[in-house]
Amino acid sequence: MPVHGRPKEAWGRRGLLAAALALVASAGCWDLSIPTVPPNPPPPSLKVLAPKAGDTIALTGEVSVQADSVNGVNSVALLCGPLDGGARQAYAWGSPPFVALVDFSVCQGLTLPNPDAGNPILQLSVQAVTTAGADAGENLQVFLDATGPAISVVYPPAAQPKSPFVVLVTPTDPQHPLSAFPVVLLAGAPADRITSIPNPDGGPPTYEAFFNSTPGIGIDNYDGGQPVPIEVLTDTDDVVRLTVDATGLNGNTTAVDLSVGLSRLVWDRYIPGQPAASSPINWAAEPVAFGSGLNGGVVLPLATSAGGGATAQWIPGVLSSADGTFYGFDVATIGGLDGGYLARGLNAQGQTLFFQFTGKTSNLLLAPPPPAAGPVVTGTLPVALPNPPLTSVTGGDGGPDLLCLQDTAQVCSAAPPEALICVTPQLTPVTALATGKVFGGPDAGVVAGAGGFYLSPNVAVCGASWNLVDLTQGAISFGPVFDPNGLLRACAVSKIGRLLAVGDGTFVVQLVSSCDVTGTTEYPILRVGSGPANGQSTILGAYTAPLGTPRLVQREVVGVLADGRVVTLTNSPPNTTFDLWSLYPSSLNDAGVTSVDIPDVTSPIAGLYDSADATEDSVVARSVYSGADGTFAVLLSGAPLGVGVLAFGPGLSPWWLYLYPRITSTGNARLVSASTVGDVYLIDEFNNRAASLRVRPPTQSSVQAPSNLAYSTNPAVYTKGTAIAPNVPTYSGGTPFLRGVTGAASGSEPQLHQR
């Protein structure tokens, strides 16, 4: 009989539910409340991996700590110093990993003496705290090596903006050399290159840090248009930071924090003596700017007796271009002041020409500018003792610089003929003679010479308006009696109002002419060159308008650039306007020309000023600088205390305005310059001061650190509590001083510290 049924279920839904109910019934209810923390949570496990007890650590070192807890580590702190409450926190961690590079400089002063006279003992304490509040600590003692490398930093404490800059860093302790090149920053910018210079004695090398350019000031940081704000032009000085970080083999770093003054002013010095001058126009000899660095400066005629004056006897004195150091003349060179030699002139190289009149001839002696004692050149010349001043004429086409006596013709007469005698630096005579021509000579000193040529206006127009001497050929040509700009108006030259040497053998003259046809006075500005011997000089062209155009307005001619363009000045309240004019060649007449009285460049300067030459009615350019690179500078009246110096870049671009900080006037001040020298010298007779201003910064190649690092004078050394010694070596790199600073453990000014 068949059996009916179904398969057995192993775990069906009913089985699972029954099992679950049985489990709950047997287990009771779950406790879901927050568990209570034990009253004494366990401390964290703590182990200091580095440094170990007894290790020697530097001011900066790695600290490694292992800290663990079942409750989690909340913080780890590193303390240094005594455990009796004087400890100081050096570092703290808020989360793992507990590894860091720690600055132990905060621990200096918390050390204990080492009984073995070694590095001091530093107590370290590491403390860890868990999230449950349990803590643990580990104490250890290490030795703290806080010595940093001792270094000497030699640097110029004053420099010109946008000029090369050199810093020398030398480790002074052979036992503690540097581990790497020092880090040298000027105004936050790193040096462009650092060179290691081996020590010939086998000690640590010297590191030469070279900056291509110092930071700019004033116009260097201005990118706006014209007119340049007066606040920008008068921003002529600033102070920037110089920092040096030098790291030793132990990892410690000596940091030196210094300051460097940036200024257009190179130096400002007292003149030890009285210039032999009666006014800015009348000097016994024209002062001369020459050379550069240690081999240049400004040479002045200094009176040998009280009172001075343009007729006083004098000897030369030099203020060096590097730092204004004064060098006096050794009178033993001429056998003493009563040796019979009298100074008569200064040539373009700064050499002084002495004369000793012997009855029929004169013994000559040419002495170099102080402090050089030689070579001394001697010779003779068949002339009487010449009257001052003599005229310096730079050489032309590679020829020698000349020093010219005054013209022989002094008045309108039949004899003697016009003649000029000059001497070279070898005292070789160079002469020029106008055969059969007799004209009046110039006012004393109202002459100009450059490029081997010499032009002297006549006192009164008697047969010619000027004498133009070509010293390269020994020929003389003459200026016309009738104004070549006003021939159709029957204009006759009455005088030369302004005379400027371009430097290439040509000259700029501003005529004052009386015109019979129109009954007016005209003031044309012409450029002239030499003509045939005994003939008329060549008229090369005119400025502001073509030749022949009436010029009824007398423009103030300030100077001429190296390229022959003329600078004029006009007061246009509230500004003073400087205009730059190109030459209209003589081949161009005024027919159809409409672009008259339109300058190439116009540069307005806020304020009302006048040129010193115009203020003092000087015919020649006495207080104007025209650089060979197109830079330009002029001494102005109208500044707050009397005078100022305004400098332009090429193309008459305004650069800066230096306001002289002493009360003086153009009646007592001169600006001495030379086209090949980048510095100009403001001579203030009233205060007996001289100031050097840099118009053209030196090139990188002209700034070099001393190669052998051997100084003839002791470098200044800074130690805590002492002033910086004034006896510092002179640096020939276009900056006024070198100052030496030796790093020590601490200091106030300059700031020195190790880290």
Side-chain angles (χ1 to χ4, degrees), residues 554-559 567-572 576-579 581 608-612 614 634-637 646:
Q554 185 175 13
R555 294 186 180 274
E556 182 177 327
V557 179
V558 178
V567 179
T568 62
L569 178 155
T570 305
N571 282 135
S572 308
T576 297
T577 301
F578 291 83
D579 292 322
W581 305 87
L608 299 180
Y609 311 97
D610 200 1
S611 68
V634 57
L635 181 66
L636 299 177
S637 62
L646 178 62

Side-chain angles (χ1 to χ4, degrees), residues 339-751:
Y341 278 98
L342 300 176
R344 277 298 181 265
L346 297 164
N347 67 14
Q349 300 176 22
Q351 298 167 310
T352 304
L353 181 61
F354 292 87
F355 280 75
Q356 183 188 53
F357 185 54
T358 60
K360 294 183 179 181
T361 62
S362 290
N363 294 324
L364 307 183
L365 185 150
L366 190 67
V376 174
V377 183
T378 58
T380 59
L381 200 63
V383 297
L385 186 67
N387 293 321
L390 278 59
T391 300
S392 174
V393 180
T394 57
D397 295 329
D401 294 331
L402 302 172
L403 196 56
C404 298
L405 284 60
Q406 290 188 27
D407 299 34
T408 56
Q410 297 297 315
V411 295
C412 290
S413 64
E418 168 66 354
L420 186 67
I421 300 176
C422 308
V423 293
T424 69
Q426 291 73 41
L427 296 184
T428 303
V430 175
T431 61
L433 179 67
T435 305
K437 294 286 185 178
V438 182
F439 297 120
D443 287 330
V446 186
V447 294
F453 290 78
Y454 169 106
L455 190 149
S456 59
N458 285 333
V459 174
V461 178
C462 56
S465 50
W466 65 73
N467 307 329
L468 201 164
V469 183
D470 179 356
L471 292 165
T472 66
Q473 303 295 326
I476 300 178
S477 61
F478 300 91
V481 174
F482 293 99
D483 182 355
N485 190 72
L487 296 177
L488 297 179
R489 296 177 296 280
C491 301
V493 179
S494 58
K495 72 173 185 178
I496 306 298
R498 191 77 164 130
L499 168 59
L500 306 170
V502 178
D504 60 354
T506 64
F507 298 85
V508 172
V509 293
Q510 184 178 41
L511 305 181
V512 179
S513 302
S514 298
C515 302
D516 291 342
V517 173
T518 59
T520 58
T521 301
E522 295 190 8
Y523 309 92
I525 306 169
L526 309 179
R527 188 169 177 182
V528 302
S530 63
N534 301 316
Q536 283 208 346
S537 302
T538 303
I539 308 301
L540 301 174
Y543 294 93
T544 73
L547 193 67
T549 308
R551 300 285 80 194
L552 301 178
V553 176
Q554 185 175 13
R555 294 186 180 274
E556 182 177 327
V557 179
V558 178
V560 58
L561 300 186
D563 61 6
R565 290 187 290 176
V566 164
V567 179
T568 62
L569 178 155
T570 305
N571 282 135
S572 308
N575 297 323
T576 297
T577 301
F578 291 83
D579 292 322
L580 186 62
W581 305 87
S582 290
L583 181 73
Y584 288 89
S586 58
S587 58
L588 178 67
N589 57 41
D590 59 353
V593 176
T594 59
S595 60
V596 299
D597 296 317
I598 300 177
D600 299 350
V601 177
T602 295
S603 295
I605 305 296
L608 299 180
Y609 311 97
D610 200 1
S611 68
D613 287 342
T615 303
E616 299 302 318
D617 198 25
S618 175
V619 174
V620 297
R622 300 181 187 276
S623 292
V624 174
Y625 163 76
S626 183
D629 62 345
T631 51
F632 183 76
V634 57
L635 181 66
L636 299 177
S637 62
L641 297 181
V643 301
V645 178
L646 178 62
F648 295 89
L652 208 64
S653 172
W655 272 2
W656 49 263
L657 172 60
Y658 175 74
L659 302 175
Y660 186 58
R662 296 182 182 87
I663 296 176
T664 191
S665 68
T666 55
N668 296 292
R670 282 283 297 273
L671 192 68
V672 181
S673 64
S675 62
T676 57
V677 178
D679 298 345
V680 297
Y681 302 95
L682 173 57
I683 309 300
D684 175 11
E685 295 177 65
F686 182 76
N687 295 289
N688 231 42
R689 303 286 300 191
S692 173
L693 295 157
R694 183 144 298 161
V695 178
R696 186 171 69 247
T699 60
Q700 292 185 18
S701 60
S702 66
V703 178
Q704 298 295 332
S707 58
N708 56 8
L709 306 177
Y711 299 105
S712 58
T713 56
N714 296 326
V717 177
Y718 176 82
T719 55
K720 185 178 180 180
T722 63
I724 292 178
N727 183 21
V728 297
T730 303
Y731 182 56
S732 60
T735 46
F737 298 109
L738 278 182
R739 175 174 293 167
V741 178
T742 299
S746 61
S748 54
E749 179 58 35
Q751 299 175 12

Side-chain angles (χ1 to χ4, degrees), residues 268-291:
D268 186 333
R269 296 285 183 267
Y270 164 71
I271 301 173
Q274 180 65 43
S278 301
S279 73
I281 293 178
N282 296 317
W283 284 62
E286 289 295 306
V288 172
F290 69 101

Side-chain angles (χ1 to χ4, degrees), residues 8-31:
K8 184 179 179 181
E9 295 179 352
W11 285 96
R13 284 174 296 187
R14 295 178 181 176
L16 288 174
L17 179 60
L21 291 174
L23 180 62
V24 170
S26 63
C29 297
W30 288 95
D31 184 2

